[in-house]
Amino acid sequence: MKNQFIANDNKKTDTIMRIALSYHRVTRAKSKNPFSETIEYVSRDYSETLIIDRNTETLEFVQKIGTRCVVSRKYCVQGDISTLLDELGDSYFIDELNEKKLLTNIIANQEYSLYDPINGKDYTITIDYKSGTQKILNGTFDKNGLPNDYECFIDDVQNFMDCHNANEIFDSSIYSKLPRKINELIFCSVIFEDGGKTYYYITEDDSLEVGDVVIVPAGKGNHEAAVRIVGIDHFTRDEAPLPLEKVKRIIRKRDKI
């Protein structure tokens, strides 16, 4: 399949309003009839659709597996969708006029390249601009058939989705955690940036988790130092691993070490 490109010149100031990417794969598999020697072929369809829309501030990803299974995920993130489209529109390919154009340059497969329509992978990308211009790309879903900046584009979209994919009902670190009893203290086992021995610090902050970076008083002078929490335990005063008067308190949480 040859690539097609339908578009007017898009200046770098033109705003992307919508990006739609559709992917389709057909796989033909052999299926032997148990009641005869005839070999039959069964085709299986699989498709994915990605739509990023500025007007609705949504990103939607849909998978269709055959005719009986549809899996979809929709992200409604006010402001962030527009920012994503702005960043995508201001990145990657730069043409000879120093204008930035998203998903434009395609090598294209040569006439002698093999293409099997029965077991093929095709795509269509449609980009709508504020000026009314529309860019349409379609071809084979492979290195030569896709725009040369496709990998950068799809990586940025994947990073956006990953940032909003946090969940808690599947997180064992949350549902397996025992609630702290009224008479228990929170002891955090921490490790300093240079590694080595772990130390206990006390906190009253129930929101701290293993992996968090916190600021603690360290050394004889109690200078502030960044440490990483590697364990959290609850002890009563009688069960405390160290005399309470010798255990220092965590000052605050810090985002990065």
Side-chain angles (χ1 to χ4, degrees):
M1 178 181 290
K2 296 182 179 179
N3 293 291
Q4 298 177 10
F5 176 64
I6 306 171
N8 295 324
D9 289 336
N10 298 301
K11 301 299 181 183
K12 60 183 178 181
T13 55
D14 207 352
T15 301
I16 295 176
M17 300 302 294
R18 189 175 186 270
I19 298 176
L21 165 61
S22 62
Y23 164 77
H24 182 223
R25 170 172 56 80
V26 178
T27 303
R28 190 174 72 163
K30 291 182 179 180
S31 176
K32 186 174 181 179
N33 189 329
F35 301 104
S36 73
E37 295 299 320
T38 303
I39 296 178
E40 299 177 349
Y41 288 89
V42 178
S43 294
R44 296 184 176 91
D45 272 42
Y46 174 81
S47 66
E48 297 178 359
T49 303
L50 171 72
I51 298 175
I52 310 172
D53 193 293
R54 185 185 297 269
N55 287 330
T56 60
E57 287 284 0
T58 59
L59 183 153
E60 188 168 12
F61 179 65
V62 180
Q63 296 169 279
K64 292 185 178 180
I65 307 166
T67 59
R68 302 177 62 183
C69 179
V70 177
V71 180
S72 66
R73 187 150 195 162
K74 191 171 186 177
Y75 305 79
C76 302
V77 191
Q78 293 295 320
D80 285 3
I81 299 296
S82 294
T83 299
L84 174 63
L85 287 172
D86 288 341
E87 291 175 349
L88 292 174
D90 197 36
S91 303
Y92 319 137
F93 180 70
I94 302 178
D95 67 7
E96 64 276 5
L97 299 178
N98 201 36
E99 294 177 359
K100 296 179 179 180
K101 297 181 178 180
L102 174 68
L103 301 174
T104 297
N105 194 32
I106 297 177
I107 297 175
N109 285 309
Q110 304 300 317
E111 293 294 336
Y112 54 78
S113 296
L114 294 175
Y115 176 73
D116 182 358
I118 303 300
N119 295 286
K121 295 179 290 185
D122 304 321
Y123 77 92
T124 298
I125 300 174
T126 304
I127 305 178
D128 294 302
Y129 291 87
K130 189 175 183 179
S131 64
T133 302
Q134 186 179 75
K135 178 191 297 184
I136 301 176
L137 297 163
N138 54 46
T140 56
F141 196 81
D142 53 51
K143 184 174 179 63
N144 285 344
L146 288 162
N148 64 352
D149 56 353
Y150 177 81
E151 183 176 1
C152 295
F153 159 74
I154 209 64
D155 281 351
D156 280 353
V157 175
Q158 180 69 68
N159 289 336
F160 176 89
M161 294 169 68
D162 288 344
C163 287
H164 296 86
N165 274 344
N167 62 75
E168 296 190 6
I169 65 172
F170 301 105
D171 191 342
S172 63
S173 68
I174 295 177
Y175 66 71
S176 63
K177 184 178 179 181
L178 290 172
R180 181 166 62 102
K181 297 177 182 178
I182 296 175
N183 62 338
E184 287 182 329
L185 301 172
I186 305 173
F187 280 74
C188 293
S189 181
V190 306
I191 190 168
F192 285 78
E193 188 173 8
D194 55 0
K197 186 179 177 181
T198 60
Y199 298 86
Y200 268 129
Y201 280 83
I202 290 178
T203 183
E204 295 177 358
D205 187 351
D206 275 308
S207 69
L208 293 179
E209 299 178 353
V210 172
D212 285 344
V213 176
V214 293
I215 303 299
V216 299
K220 293 182 179 179
N222 287 328
H223 63 277
E224 292 189 358
V227 297
R228 188 177 300 278
I229 298 175
V230 295
I232 299 178
D233 297 296
H234 298 156
F235 298 108
T236 64
R237 290 178 177 274
D238 295 336
E239 298 170 336
L242 296 170
L244 295 182
E245 64 272 13
K246 292 186 178 181
V247 184
K248 299 177 182 180
R249 291 184 174 271
I250 292 174
I251 299 172
R252 66 180 183 277
K253 181 178 177 180
R254 203 187 81 172
D255 292 334
K256 295 181 180 179
I257 192 166

